[in-house]
Amino acid sequence: MSAISTETLSLGYGETIIIDELNLTIPKGEITVFIGSNGCGKSTLLRSLARLMKPKGGSVLLEGKSIAKLPTKEVAKELAILPQGPAAPEGLTVLQLVKQGRYPYQNWLKQWSAEDEEAVNKALKATRMEELAERTVDSLSGGQRQRAWIAMTLAQETDIILLDEPTTYLDMTHQIEILDLLFELNEHEKRTIVMVLHDLNLACRYAHHLVAIKDKQIYAEGRPESIINCQLVQDVFEMDCEVTRDPLFGTPHCIPYGRGRCIVQQVAESHA
């Protein structure tokens, strides 16, 4: 069963086509990750899935319905998107930010309710932001700030969450912290999560479903262990590598060739 799908979807800017007649199915209740080189259209595709970009052709279907024909608030109750590098107004607290996630449920007849309060508190707890609720967003560390934005998307209580490079600019500790949080949301609540990630090894570790994009189309898709190999990395990223097995998780692990301090070579030369 699909959460989101596209039919001959074409996207672009001006006369430039970025995605050309793409057919894609996002599995429901799984973590899907888009991978590909810079400029291949990963973020553009993600934005179109959230109806933030009008297609040049084709359509996006949200559980079988054309997303272009759905009311905005109905879409916002079905999916939430966290764009790359979101910015909050100066002085906005974490609590105020997370409350914005309840906007789709507000109207002139229905004001703030006990259900809204419960959803916000649940989102703060899930992201471990309760103690930071009164802190301003701009005073937080990078990892804390990203958790605050994720809390806002959780407060929307959508079954689908889209994230554009959620680990960008974060150190290794915070990258794992954010990805572990998203993994737990998927595992415990069966949320459908769609992400753009640059780190191929992390993508392999966390994704149930990988979509590799090249030349405006899907180059390959499927489970990481089924599609990731040296040829794919060469074709998609133009990089030579070795693909081994992650010793902890058993997922594909890419080791790129390149210049650097090669211990093996140094040892060999010392015995020559």
Side-chain angles (χ1 to χ4, degrees):
M1 183 181 296
S2 66
I4 314 175
S5 60
T6 70
E7 294 182 347
T8 60
L9 180 69
S10 294
L11 304 167
Y13 302 94
E15 299 301 316
T16 303
I17 299 296
I18 305 297
I19 296 293
D20 191 21
E21 296 189 354
L22 184 141
N23 294 304
L24 171 69
T25 297
I26 302 295
K28 190 170 185 175
E30 294 190 355
I31 297 175
T32 295
V33 177
F34 296 159
I35 60 171
S37 62
N38 289 339
C40 72
K42 303 182 299 294
S43 297
T44 299
L45 176 58
L46 192 80
R47 285 173 54 81
S48 75
L49 297 183
R51 206 173 68 175
L52 297 181
M53 183 173 187
K54 186 177 180 180
K56 286 186 172 293
S59 58
V60 175
L61 305 179
L62 180 59
E63 296 194 339
K65 302 176 183 177
S66 173
I67 197 170
K69 298 178 181 179
L70 295 174
T72 299
K73 284 198 172 184
E74 184 175 336
V75 173
K77 290 177 182 179
E78 296 291 333
L79 65 83
I81 183 169
L82 179 59
Q84 185 181 162
E90 186 175 352
L92 192 75
T93 68
V94 170
L95 181 59
Q96 290 170 331
L97 175 68
V98 177
K99 282 185 172 182
Q100 291 185 10
R102 300 304 296 170
Y103 164 76
Y105 303 90
Q106 308 296 308
N107 56 53
W108 68 279
L109 286 176
K110 183 179 182 296
Q111 299 300 312
W112 194 259
S113 67
E115 288 80 8
D116 295 321
E117 196 72 27
E118 181 180 359
V120 167
N121 291 334
K122 183 179 177 182
L124 288 169
K125 183 177 180 179
T127 52
R128 299 183 294 281
M129 293 297 289
E130 294 168 295
E131 295 183 3
L132 301 174
E134 298 303 327
R135 287 269 301 273
T136 60
V137 176
D138 51 20
S139 72
L140 302 177
S141 69
Q144 292 170 337
R145 191 177 302 119
Q146 197 72 328
R147 291 211 316 268
W149 282 100
I150 291 175
M152 187 195 75
T153 66
L154 296 186
Q156 279 185 238
E157 294 190 317
T158 62
D159 289 332
I160 304 169
I161 302 175
L162 312 177
L163 306 105
D164 191 359
E165 300 182 30
T167 60
T168 299
Y169 307 126
L170 300 184
D171 60 35
M172 186 179 298
T173 299
H174 288 119
Q175 287 182 42
I176 298 301
E177 181 181 89
I178 293 300
L179 293 173
D180 278 352
L181 168 62
L182 296 170
F183 183 83
E184 290 167 7
L185 288 171
N186 168 261
E187 191 171 48
H188 298 150
E189 300 183 17
K190 302 304 178 187
R191 306 279 187 107
T192 299
I193 295 174
V194 187
M195 293 186 281
V196 171
L197 289 180
H198 275 303
D199 190 311
L200 183 57
N201 292 328
L202 289 179
C204 288
R205 179 182 292 189
Y206 286 93
H208 300 104
H209 189 76
L210 277 184
V211 178
I213 300 172
K214 177 181 171 63
D215 294 335
K216 308 173 187 176
Q217 277 290 331
I218 295 174
Y219 172 90
E221 63 176 315
R223 303 191 77 79
E225 54 270 26
S226 298
I227 69 168
I228 295 299
N229 52 48
C230 297
Q231 189 63 56
L232 179 143
V233 176
Q234 172 56 238
D235 290 347
V236 174
F237 296 97
E238 298 182 355
M239 181 178 69
D240 292 323
C241 73
E242 293 290 335
V243 175
T244 63
R245 186 180 175 88
D246 187 305
L248 293 179
F249 295 87
T251 52
H253 186 81
C254 177
I255 304 174
Y257 289 122
R259 298 186 62 83
R261 190 174 63 87
C262 181
I263 296 176
V264 174
Q265 182 179 349
Q266 290 174 357
V267 171
E269 291 174 349
S270 69
H271 289 285

